[in-house]
Amino acid sequence: MDQKLNQIKLFEEPLFSWYELSMPIEKQLSLPSESCFAYILEGDNQDVTKSGFLATQGTVILSLCGKTVGRSFSANETGYLSTIIVHFNQDVLQKVFDGKKPKFWKELDYPLKKDNFQEDASALVKAYFLSVAKFFEHKNALSEEILAVKLKEIILLLLQTEESSHLNLIIRRLFSDKTFSFREVIDSNLYEPLDLQRLAAMTNNSMASFKRKFNKMYDSTPAKYITQKKLERAKGILGLSQNSIKEICYDCGFINPSSFSRMFKNEYGCSPTEFRKNLSE
């Protein structure tokens, strides 16, 4: 079906991309691999990723990997999506900020727990993207200086969000020189709903290298160890919290409540509901 792309470049690299997609599309979107920030102008609420992202009008998706966003937006078989994307190319960022750290930037204290995130756009972020949309009507009048200022604007805007917010943390990661150990990344993400490919990428390893290092460090396969830790956490929460089984499932990093209950029963011989009931007797 239809796939329309309008693009504005800075220093010969994509800065703003405006995609209009009528699903299904014949070819997967080939977004640059660098981090990007997408605003959904129009969408039909369809689930566009296995992570539960929705094609919801007025929301934003910030990701450390543009290719992940491209795959997500290409997944639907029906529907319509219009999105404007800001690309955070590292070379472009270095030029725009003269190799210095942006104002309001602070070093990370711990590894990221999410490499992409979706939320409702704030009023300021909406206003930013609507102003970017106007740029596409006057592309010939845009100088490098104007585009550099516009890139700085969104970086500084996101750096002034709450320091613990995922948007703030991911933007801070773009300018961080700090490296975290393999174990620090794993331990910080044990209870996040990440697949092994994304976890391997966060440790800067191929899947094969990731599995070898993991097995050597934890004396177990990644899937077995991580599932075990999630189940142990769930077991502990069931004895202390009155949250629903579904809430506990998601809190421990499981994606599907039915799968969670099945794995819990295989491990402990009873369902989460039965386990909680036995504790109260």
Side-chain angles (χ1 to χ4, degrees):
M1 299 294 285
D2 291 340
Q3 176 179 331
K4 297 180 181 179
L5 169 63
N6 199 348
Q7 203 164 65
I8 296 172
K9 293 186 176 183
L10 175 59
F11 307 135
E12 300 184 356
E13 296 290 345
L15 176 60
F16 301 121
S17 296
W18 189 340
Y19 284 96
E20 295 179 81
L21 309 173
S22 295
M23 310 298 182
I25 56 177
E26 294 181 359
K27 189 176 181 180
Q28 179 176 297
L29 295 189
S30 181
L31 268 65
S33 60
E34 63 257 15
S35 304
C36 67
F37 191 38
Y39 176 70
I40 299 178
L41 288 164
E42 294 182 59
D44 52 15
N45 278 334
Q46 291 200 60
D47 190 344
V48 294
T49 76
K50 292 181 179 179
S51 302
F53 289 161
L54 299 175
T56 304
Q57 181 176 334
T59 62
V60 287
I61 296 175
L62 179 59
S63 176
L64 283 177
C65 180
K67 290 190 179 298
T68 297
V69 177
R71 287 194 298 269
S72 301
F73 288 162
S74 306
N76 279 0
E77 295 183 358
T78 60
Y80 175 77
L81 178 70
S82 177
T83 179
I84 294 178
I85 301 172
V86 186
H87 303 281
F88 297 131
N89 179 282
Q90 284 293 333
D91 291 336
V92 172
L93 290 174
Q94 285 292 313
K95 288 182 181 179
V96 167
F97 287 95
D98 297 321
K100 301 175 182 177
K101 308 298 185 188
K103 190 176 181 180
F104 311 117
W105 177 85
K106 292 183 179 180
E107 183 58 89
L108 295 171
D109 296 320
Y110 47 83
L112 288 178
K113 292 187 177 182
K114 286 183 179 289
D115 59 349
N116 52 41
F117 184 70
Q118 181 176 26
E119 69 176 18
D120 291 334
S122 68
L124 287 175
V125 169
K126 285 182 181 179
Y128 174 84
F129 276 100
L130 291 178
S131 68
V132 170
K134 290 293 184 182
F135 276 26
F136 286 91
E137 299 175 10
H138 307 283
K139 291 171 67 173
N140 293 335
L142 300 175
S143 65
E144 288 186 347
E145 289 77 13
I146 290 174
L147 293 175
V149 168
K150 203 62 181 174
L151 177 57
K152 280 186 177 181
E153 180 184 343
I154 191 60
I155 292 291
L156 296 178
L157 180 61
L158 295 179
L159 283 175
Q160 291 183 83
T161 58
E162 184 181 346
E163 285 188 16
S164 61
S165 73
H166 293 299
L167 292 180
N168 182 285
L169 292 170
I170 291 175
I171 291 298
R172 284 161 61 189
R173 179 68 182 87
L174 293 180
F175 296 90
S176 176
D177 299 319
K178 190 172 184 178
T179 58
F180 295 95
S181 71
F182 187 90
R183 184 180 289 276
E184 285 176 319
V185 174
I186 299 302
D187 291 350
S188 293
N189 287 280
L190 279 175
Y191 309 113
E192 297 299 323
L194 299 174
D195 58 38
L196 293 185
Q197 285 188 333
R198 286 170 61 191
L199 197 53
M202 292 173 75
T203 63
N204 297 315
N205 281 275
S206 67
M207 180 57 72
S209 296
F210 173 76
K211 288 182 177 179
R212 283 196 300 270
K213 287 184 179 180
F214 195 103
N215 193 284
K216 183 177 181 180
M217 185 170 292
Y218 294 95
D219 194 28
S220 177
T221 65
K224 183 178 180 180
Y225 179 86
I226 293 172
T227 299
Q228 181 66 41
K229 288 297 181 181
K230 288 180 177 180
L231 289 172
E232 289 175 3
R233 176 186 172 101
K235 182 181 178 183
I237 294 176
L238 282 166
L240 299 172
S241 169
Q242 294 303 310
N243 289 348
S244 69
I245 302 300
K246 189 174 184 179
E247 288 174 320
I248 293 173
C249 161
Y250 294 139
D251 184 50
C252 294
F254 293 99
I255 296 175
N256 186 293
S258 297
S259 297
F260 162 62
S261 294
R262 184 175 62 254
M263 287 187 282
F264 191 96
K265 186 170 185 177
N266 289 340
E267 182 67 23
Y268 299 113
C270 60
S271 70
T273 301
E274 292 168 339
F275 179 82
R276 173 178 274 172
K277 183 178 179 181
N278 292 338
L279 288 176
S280 63
E281 292 179 350

